[in-house]
Amino acid sequence: MRLRTLVRSSSATVLLPLLIGFILLALGDDLTAWVTPHYWTSVTGSAAFALPFVAAACAGSAAWEGARLAKGQVFGHAPVRNPVAITLPLLLPVVAAGLLGILAALVTAAVAADVSFGLPQPGILAAVAAVLIANALVGSIIGRIMPGVLAAPLALIGSFVATAYPASWNVPWLRHLVGGGLSSCCSVDTSIDGRALLGTIVFTAGISAAALILIRFRGSVIPLTVAGVCFAGSLTGAWLLVRDLGSEAVQGRATSELACENTGRHQICLWPEVENAAQVRQDTSTAAEKLEQAGVPVPHTLTMAARPQPGAAKLGIAPDARPEEIPAGIASGLLPQPPTCALNGRPYPAGDAAVLMEAWLQTTAGTSMHTVKARFDPETVRLLQKLRALSPKQQLAWYERNHHAMSACDTKPQLNIPESRG
């Protein structure tokens, strides 16, 4: 069959504009809500949010194509080509339509992220393509055993349930079999975990192999057995890869990508996606010096790495951070992390001081009171104003006392602000 005839007669040709319209109109907000500015890996992960919808469309369209073959009794005669050679060309437009749908999602996320010239994350694209191919092959089998008016909606609904619902279950590893954790990738300090990608590819490759066996040899005992072995083997292999993953398919980004420079008394390490890096470093250095002048120890290195090295502090800012957001980014990295006893469920009374501590650190680093009022609740603002009325020495003593309390579970914080003694 000529390519033009194949495209003109395929159900995917009718489906494609509907699919792209659905992605742009119905999923546009979701594709752009959490994308990290200027970060191609995040753009590619955000585009994977559309995967369950696109996979369902591929499965439904493939089921229709399979039903057309069955209705025409193509496999009931003695064809020159084997069933796989007949089926695969009909599925090419289906998979191509799915990939174009993912491309539409990718462009939508890329525009929102304002990325520069670059390439999407290839591993995520490979996993997405593997899911689409598996859905198309399984959909074509459903179409061969059922009438098209039943096969298409059944394949569509079944595919959506299989790809979308595992992400809502409390068994985290299941979602990584069908790419359900890809859309949470990635903040600027994280990258995709290769185990999640391999798990998805291994599982869907096993399903595709099983489907090809059934298409070629149909449903006799031996092909069914071999197909079952392919499915079980891929499920086992994928489980071994993803069993230790949490709900998100991310890991800390390689710190070798950080650009570190000394500005003032501090070394400041930023990701390459940060806008106006020189100005950000200058603003960060200025805020850090204000904290040091107030008596707050600030490590020499301030880094955007997900897990700072010992002796460094986290700089929690976005790639497009504005100057007024930088003091908050420094303050968040100076607060003590909850101790192990608190993480194990023991009472942690000093945790009540964390919000006021952060507000004080932000204002000390240069955040205006007007901005603080917009970020914190009225009671915190009231206590902060009372605290700021104390002498610098009293404020520092209050900070050190509560900083020490937050490092243990058996020390109560000082939440009552003493009266100013001038």
Side-chain angles (χ1 to χ4, degrees):
M1 185 182 297
R2 293 191 304 175
L3 179 61
R4 185 165 61 179
T5 303
L6 183 64
V7 172
R8 186 177 66 247
S9 62
S10 176
S11 59
T13 305
V14 178
L15 175 69
L16 180 58
L18 300 176
L19 177 61
I20 292 179
F22 176 82
I23 290 171
L24 297 179
L25 298 176
L27 303 183
D29 290 343
D30 295 295
L31 292 169
T32 60
W34 305 108
V35 66
T36 302
H38 318 310
Y39 190 24
W40 267 111
T41 302
S42 176
V43 168
T44 317
S46 295
F49 179 84
L51 179 59
F53 305 94
V54 177
C58 285
S61 179
W64 185 265
E65 297 302 316
R68 287 174 60 199
L69 292 175
K71 185 178 180 180
Q73 299 182 348
V74 173
F75 304 115
H77 304 293
V80 175
R81 295 179 297 164
N82 67 57
V84 172
I86 295 172
T87 301
L88 289 186
L90 295 180
L91 297 184
L92 286 178
V94 174
V95 175
L99 292 175
L100 288 173
I102 293 297
L103 178 61
L106 189 68
V107 171
T108 301
V111 171
D114 190 24
V115 290
S116 59
F117 288 105
L119 294 174
Q121 213 286 337
I124 297 177
L125 293 183
V128 166
V131 173
L132 297 182
I133 292 170
N135 275 271
L137 289 169
V138 172
S140 69
I141 293 176
I142 296 174
R144 286 179 61 176
I145 61 179
M146 298 181 67
V149 292
L150 295 178
L154 177 63
L156 187 148
I157 295 172
S159 170
F160 185 79
V161 170
T163 53
Y165 275 63
S168 66
W169 297 341
N170 59 358
V171 183
W173 63 267
L174 280 173
R175 69 189 63 190
H176 301 302
L177 301 182
V178 291
L182 301 179
S183 61
S184 61
C185 173
C186 294
S187 60
V188 73
D189 57 2
T190 60
S191 61
I192 191 69
D193 194 317
R195 293 175 296 173
L197 300 178
L198 285 175
T200 299
I201 292 172
V202 167
F203 180 65
T204 52
I207 292 177
S208 295
L212 287 171
I213 291 170
L214 295 179
I215 291 173
R216 175 65 179 85
F217 300 104
R218 310 201 64 167
S220 57
V221 175
I222 294 179
L224 282 173
T225 302
V226 175
V229 170
C230 287
F231 174 80
S234 65
L235 177 61
T236 302
W239 175 75
L240 291 173
L241 287 167
V242 303
R243 59 180 175 174
D244 296 327
L245 293 179
S247 59
E248 296 184 348
V250 298
Q251 61 185 0
R253 190 175 176 183
T255 55
S256 59
E257 298 181 37
L258 285 165
C260 298
E261 293 184 14
N262 288 314
T263 304
R265 294 196 297 270
H266 298 89
Q267 182 185 59
I268 301 169
C269 300
L270 307 177
W271 297 115
E273 292 77 17
V274 173
E275 295 179 359
N276 302 317
Q279 185 62 49
V280 169
R281 286 192 174 91
Q282 186 58 55
D283 293 340
T284 302
S285 177
T286 300
E289 289 174 3
K290 288 181 179 179
L291 287 165
E292 289 180 329
Q293 289 169 5
V296 178
V298 178
H300 171 67
T301 299
L302 298 170
T303 176
M304 293 179 70
R307 296 178 179 85
Q309 296 293 322
K314 171 74 174 179
L315 179 59
I317 60 174
D320 57 349
R322 295 169 295 179
E324 60 268 24
E325 295 172 344
I326 290 175
I330 298 176
S332 63
L334 296 180
L335 287 173
Q337 295 298 313
T340 304
C341 54
L343 299 178
N344 291 335
R346 284 183 55 188
Y348 183 47
D352 296 337
V355 175
L356 184 55
M357 288 267 288
E358 182 170 7
W360 181 82
L361 285 169
Q362 288 189 25
T363 54
T364 304
T367 300
S368 67
M369 188 59 67
H370 175 75
T371 302
V372 167
K373 289 180 179 178
R375 292 176 180 170
F376 296 91
D377 63 274
E379 178 60 18
T380 299
V381 173
R382 184 187 69 81
L383 291 174
L384 177 62
Q385 290 174 327
K386 189 176 180 181
L387 178 60
R388 298 296 297 182
L390 301 178
S391 68
K393 184 176 180 180
Q394 289 175 299
Q395 293 181 51
L396 181 60
W398 177 90
Y399 168 78
E400 291 175 339
R401 186 178 299 111
N402 284 286
H403 190 281
H404 174 74
M406 291 180 67
S407 302
C409 288
D410 53 1
T411 306
K412 293 184 178 181
Q414 180 186 348
L415 297 178
N416 294 323
I417 308 301
E419 295 298 327
S420 173
R421 296 195 296 269

